[in-house]
Amino acid sequence: MGRDLNLKEFSKQIGLSQTTVSRALGGYPEVNPKTRARIVQAAEQFGYRPDKRARSLATGRSFNIGHVLTSRNKTELVNPIFGDFIGGLTETSSAVGYSLSLTLTEAAQEEAIYRKLKSEGAVDGVVLQLPRPNDPRIALLKEIGLPFVVHGRSTNVTTEYAWVDVNNRRAFERATQFLLDLGHTRIGLINGDETMDYAMRRRSGFEDTLKAAGVEADPQLMSRGFMTEDNGHAIARDFLSRPDRPTALLTSSVILAIGARRAIQEANLTMGKDVSLVCYDDDLSYLSNRQTVPVFTAVRSSVLLAGQEIAKMLIKQIEEPDSELSHVLLEAELVVGQSTGPVSKPFI
């Protein structure tokens, strides 16, 4: 359109009163859900954006969603996985008039930052990523009364909280069993940071599936660390240089898998024939594994979809404070690609 619509023009365009439109986009809970959905869809279609300052004055809310990154995880800013997650989060929240507020701080200042965000009314709720077992942030946010949704789960936290997670344990059970069914018993694990809950669940899925099959996991073939291409390359190169090298590798991201594939090629081995490779795939827009026949066999779940789901869940908490806390457990699908095959017989 040639220019932005104001509230009066937009309301007339869709045949509803200015009051109804304003209250629907302002997050007032008494608006009929179907009417709200219709207004939100029309606002997106016509490019209408209500005045944020006016809404804030009317509701006492900031219409900001907070996300705090500390010195422990600030490298996430250049991680394609984080990029897709934030894309899903902002796509959904901006459609109903919320902005994302990103704060960078030192780990020692994290508690103070959350308390400041709450006391100043700078955000209406926050997203927690990369939870650890017994994550203290959950109790803190409960204490100060700031709505939040966790991307993942925190083992041993018994208090009720909202979360969206992938069934990481089940995903790695399926991936490991797939390799076992192909005859692989010597499997290397290239995992993420195992101080994080998701990586602990993936490792337990891997180890327990081997144990159930009567296969002993080799601690020398299990590694953990940052999920970078360089790290995947270095670890896979180390594993493959051993006399009793693994016949298969399982990696915690497609980024690690790209590095592992490079190491396989440098060792003059053929991926899918000499060495099989399965990865966890966040279905990244920047590093797609969705070819007609995918390059990598993978357990796949969209991190962009997770971001969208978390935005919906958090905004509902903000706008309907008495609503029940929600939990969403996503299952990863197993996608067979070019990177796996039956175990090859040893050369004699």
Side-chain angles (χ1 to χ4, degrees), residues 36-206:
R36 187 195 305 277
R38 175 190 163 195
I39 292 170
V40 168
Q41 183 178 9
E44 188 70 22
Q45 178 185 349
F46 291 106
Y48 172 70
R49 291 289 181 271
D51 186 276
K52 189 173 178 180
R53 287 174 298 177
R55 287 200 302 158
S56 294
L57 288 171
T59 63
R61 299 208 300 267
S62 67
F63 293 92
N64 286 326
I65 289 173
H67 195 306
V68 177
L69 288 177
T70 71
S71 51
R72 284 195 305 263
N73 53 25
K74 63 185 178 183
T75 54
E76 288 294 304
L77 285 171
V78 293
N79 189 328
I81 299 171
F82 181 75
D84 266 30
F85 175 76
I86 291 297
L89 184 69
T90 54
E91 174 187 324
T92 301
S93 58
S94 65
V96 289
Y98 283 79
S99 301
L100 179 68
S101 176
L102 186 63
T103 303
L104 300 177
T105 186
E106 294 301 317
Q109 297 300 315
E110 189 172 12
E111 178 179 340
I113 289 294
Y114 283 122
R115 291 187 182 278
K116 183 178 179 182
L117 291 174
K118 171 63 177 177
S119 65
E120 294 181 351
V123 299
D124 298 321
V126 295
V127 176
L128 294 188
Q129 268 193 299
L130 301 173
R132 301 166 184 265
N134 300 301
D135 199 309
R137 296 176 296 175
I138 293 172
L140 169 66
L141 293 172
K142 284 276 190 181
E143 176 202 330
I144 64 179
L146 190 57
F148 68 97
V149 178
V150 180
H151 183 203
R153 287 171 287 170
S154 179
T155 300
N156 297 328
V157 172
T158 57
T159 187
E160 184 73 359
Y161 62 94
W163 52 263
V164 174
D165 196 11
V166 177
N167 194 340
N168 285 292
R169 179 185 172 87
R170 176 62 183 147
F172 272 54
E173 288 174 348
R174 294 187 69 189
T176 306
Q177 189 60 56
F178 179 79
L179 289 170
L180 288 168
D181 290 344
L182 289 172
H184 298 278
T185 56
R186 190 153 178 78
I187 305 169
L189 173 67
I190 307 178
N191 203 4
D193 179 359
E194 289 180 3
T195 65
M196 304 294 177
D197 208 278
Y198 79 89
M200 291 176 57
R201 293 176 189 269
R202 291 178 183 182
R203 181 180 179 125
S204 66
F206 170 73

Side-chain angles (χ1 to χ4, degrees), residues 24-29 36 55 61 63 96 98 314-323:
L25 294 177
Y28 289 88
R36 187 195 305 277
R55 287 200 302 158
R61 299 208 300 267
F63 293 92
V96 289
Y98 283 79
L314 182 55
I315 290 168
K316 182 178 180 181
Q317 261 194 71
I318 293 166
E319 298 184 352
E320 301 175 31
D322 297 327
S323 62

Side-chain angles (χ1 to χ4, degrees), residues 194-253:
E194 289 180 3
T195 65
M196 304 294 177
D197 208 278
Y198 79 89
M200 291 176 57
R201 293 176 189 269
R202 291 178 183 182
R203 181 180 179 125
S204 66
F206 170 73
E207 290 182 319
D208 290 350
T209 303
L210 290 180
K211 184 177 180 180
V215 177
E216 185 176 352
D218 183 350
Q220 299 302 312
L221 290 180
M222 289 187 284
S223 182
R224 59 190 181 185
F226 292 117
M227 293 197 293
T228 63
E229 193 274 348
D230 280 348
N231 206 30
H233 172 258
I235 295 167
R237 183 177 58 187
D238 175 60
F239 287 175
L240 296 174
S241 66
R242 302 180 184 191
D244 54 348
R245 67 168 177 81
T247 63
L249 300 172
L250 174 56
T251 75
S252 235
S253 79

